[in-house]
Amino acid sequence: MFSFAPRRLGGAVVFAACLLIVPAVASAQTVGSGSASGAAAPSGARQDYRSQHFLVHSDLSPAEAKQLLEKLEYMLGIISTYWAKPPKGVIECYVVKDLANWPAGTIPDDYGREKIQRKEGVTVSLVLGNEGRATVYATAEGGVAQHEAVHAYCAQNFGTTGPTWYSEGMAEMGQYWKKGELAVAVHDYVVEHIRTSEPKSLNEIVNSNDRTGDSWQNYAWRWALCHLLATNPNYAANFRPLGLGILNQKPVSFEQAYGHVADHISFEYLFFLQRLCNGYRVDLCAWDWKRKFTALPPGTSRTVQVAAGKGYQPTGVLVKADDRLEVAATGSWKLDKTKPAAVTAAGDTDGEGKLVGVVFHNFQLSDEFEIGDSGAFTAPSEGQLFVRCKSDWGSVGDNFGNVTVKFSAPK
Ligand SMILES: [Zn+2]
């Protein structure tokens, strides 16, 4: 399913991929921080700025334009490596801070001008076969230019940007990508929207008729799905080939790549959405689907290592509702690897660092319950016992160390 309605024009196809809609609150913040930094262009003069792969027409100040070009080149380096295709040609961009600086005729595309007026962006591409020439029209606010530049790279190098969920999800990732950084780092309004809304199902995102530029809210869900698939070790290996297949217009599909683990993805996708926050590490909180679980016969015990720097980890212990298990944990872990203070599995005075558990059954989780470093606990329901070091989901990556936990079933 393509995200745009192609218009035939002399044998070539012109398409407009995406308009990113920036919520008012985000625009206000961007403007505020810009003026506070003192980097605003007083003159508002339009100038051309060039780098290796970009030609930017803009009324940004030279310093702001330089910063933008650096960001664009940096992002292009990451995405062209990811998609294994060096960028062809130059991407032309109109990046507008104040439309008052742009008299009629200075922005060559009326549709582009209209989007800029609405503080949005659009990429207009002229495509012939599997190559194209793309022009970006973007407001200077937020990460709109970076987002659009992802579409432009795809259009110029592959002649397509892929179906809406992939095209927009990856373009959103593009504006946030930082080298070697796996933690979630998105605008606060994205986190807030996802955490306060009824989750969109995978099917709704991948197979809906939603169109590009529909709403920033839909962009948030697409970003979340792409971020999960790209960073979760359970799915990342299939995600890149799927994306390359999509862009190279091979007969690939989401169902083909992930149909056999659809339940797993749905579970981890919801898990991610419910805990989403800046700093969240999908890679560290991935679910272990391979571990085998067996019941603990009376009078026996099982010992597992639990890492502080991971999400829920399998114990291999299968429990029934109201089963009473004894626990004995040894060792200590840290909630901040840069500081010397360590705590045991009993946790600190606020309960942080305490050993806690959940029971997984049929892709559902029990509420989290406290286990601690000694004594006994009662399983709330039947299923597989998973445990973790209690800490904010956004700071799991700061944790360090392991404890050894022995679970025993009374005789
Ligand atoms: Zn887009």
Side-chain angles (χ1 to χ4, degrees):
M1 182 199 69
F2 283 83
S3 55
F4 36 77
R7 284 181 278 145
R8 287 268 158 204
L9 194 79
V13 177
V14 177
F15 66 79
C18 166
L19 49 150
L20 178 71
I21 298 161
V22 184
V25 60
S27 313
Q29 283 165 354
T30 308
V31 171
S33 63
S35 18
S37 72
S43 68
R46 282 176 283 114
Q47 286 193 58
D48 291 348
Y49 299 95
R50 285 184 174 79
S51 63
Q52 193 183 351
H53 302 102
F54 292 91
L55 165 59
V56 173
H57 312 286
S58 184
D59 57 340
L60 287 168
S61 71
E64 289 168 329
K66 181 170 176 276
Q67 208 178 25
L68 174 66
L69 280 173
E70 279 169 7
K71 276 189 201 165
L72 289 172
E73 288 288 352
Y74 176 71
M75 186 210 66
L76 192 68
I78 294 177
I79 64 173
S80 58
T81 303
Y82 181 80
W83 279 311
K85 217 170 191 184
K88 271 185 288 197
V90 165
I91 296 172
E92 190 171 5
C93 308
Y94 289 80
V95 181
V96 174
K97 192 171 177 180
D98 182 354
L99 207 49
N101 297 324
W102 300 76
T106 53
I107 296 173
D109 188 287
D110 290 344
Y111 188 52
R113 188 178 185 98
E114 192 186 312
K115 296 302 158 208
I116 287 168
Q117 192 158 25
R118 291 162 56 173
K119 302 287 183 198
E120 299 169 2
V122 67
T123 301
V124 178
S125 304
L126 182 67
V127 172
L128 205 53
N130 60 358
E131 288 191 20
R133 193 175 142 64
T135 309
V136 166
Y137 300 90
T139 173
E141 292 181 15
V144 177
Q146 286 104 296
H147 172 111
E148 296 302 334
V150 176
H151 292 318
Y153 162 82
C154 290
Q156 285 199 177
N157 290 274
F158 297 97
T160 180
T161 61
T164 307
W165 73 268
Y166 186 76
S167 169
E168 299 305 346
M170 293 307 279
E172 281 297 86
M173 280 191 72
Q175 70 155 310
Y176 298 126
W177 263 333
K178 290 194 183 78
K179 199 171 189 175
E181 183 56 84
L182 288 165
V184 168
V186 298
H187 297 306
D188 289 338
Y189 63 77
V190 170
V191 173
E192 194 186 331
H193 174 68
I194 288 180
R195 290 290 294 268
T196 56
S197 308
E198 183 68 24
K200 276 219 172 205
S201 72
L202 281 184
N203 190 43
E204 270 179 287
I205 295 170
V206 174
N207 295 320
S208 82
N209 291 319
D210 288 345
R211 300 178 73 85
T212 185
D214 43 12
S215 69
W216 68 263
Q217 290 89 342
N218 282 348
Y219 282 39
W221 301 110
R222 294 170 189 139
W223 163 80
L225 178 59
C226 286
H227 182 87
L228 173 77
L229 296 176
T231 55
N232 185 315
N234 292 327
Y235 317 113
N238 281 355
F239 190 57
R240 195 161 165 267
L242 171 64
L244 286 171
I246 286 172
L247 292 176
N248 287 301
Q249 303 179 51
K250 297 271 164 49
V252 294
S253 69
F254 185 87
E255 288 72 16
Q256 201 182 54
Y258 292 122
H260 63 295
V261 286
D263 287 342
H264 295 187
I265 294 184
S266 291
F267 171 82
E268 292 209 62
Y269 172 67
L270 276 178
F271 185 94
F272 172 46
L273 298 181
Q274 286 159 0
R275 292 161 184 79
L276 179 67
C277 55
N278 278 315
Y280 188 92
R281 290 279 301 272
V282 167
D283 59 318
L284 300 178
C285 300
W287 206 255
D288 184 336
W289 299 104
K290 295 195 178 113
R291 182 64 173 262
K292 296 281 174 277
F293 284 76
T294 53
L296 212 49
T300 66
S301 62
R302 194 166 301 156
T303 300
V304 292
Q305 289 282 320
V306 183
K310 286 187 178 176
Y312 290 116
Q313 296 150 66
T315 62
V317 176
L318 206 55
V319 294
K320 288 206 175 71
D322 301 327
D323 268 0
R324 201 162 162 74
L325 292 181
E326 284 159 10
V327 60
T330 53
S332 60
W333 46 27
K334 290 181 184 181
L335 296 168
D336 185 342
K337 63 182 122 195
T338 64
K339 294 196 178 133
V343 292
T344 68
D348 64 16
T349 47
D350 297 326
E352 295 289 296
K354 192 167 196 168
L355 185 72
V356 291
V358 285
V359 175
F360 171 95
H361 180 66
N362 202 15
F363 298 99
Q364 301 285 330
L365 286 184
S366 72
D367 287 338
E368 186 176 271
F369 54 92
E370 296 187 342
I371 296 175
D373 67 335
S374 60
F377 67 96
T378 303
S381 52
E382 179 189 354
Q384 303 171 344
L385 177 64
F386 284 75
V387 293
R388 72 170 183 122
C389 168
K390 186 175 170 68
S391 63
D392 289 341
W393 286 101
S395 63
V396 171
D398 299 336
N399 298 348
F400 179 80
N402 298 282
V403 298
T404 303
V405 187
K406 184 175 167 188
F407 296 100
S408 308
K411 280 183 188 163

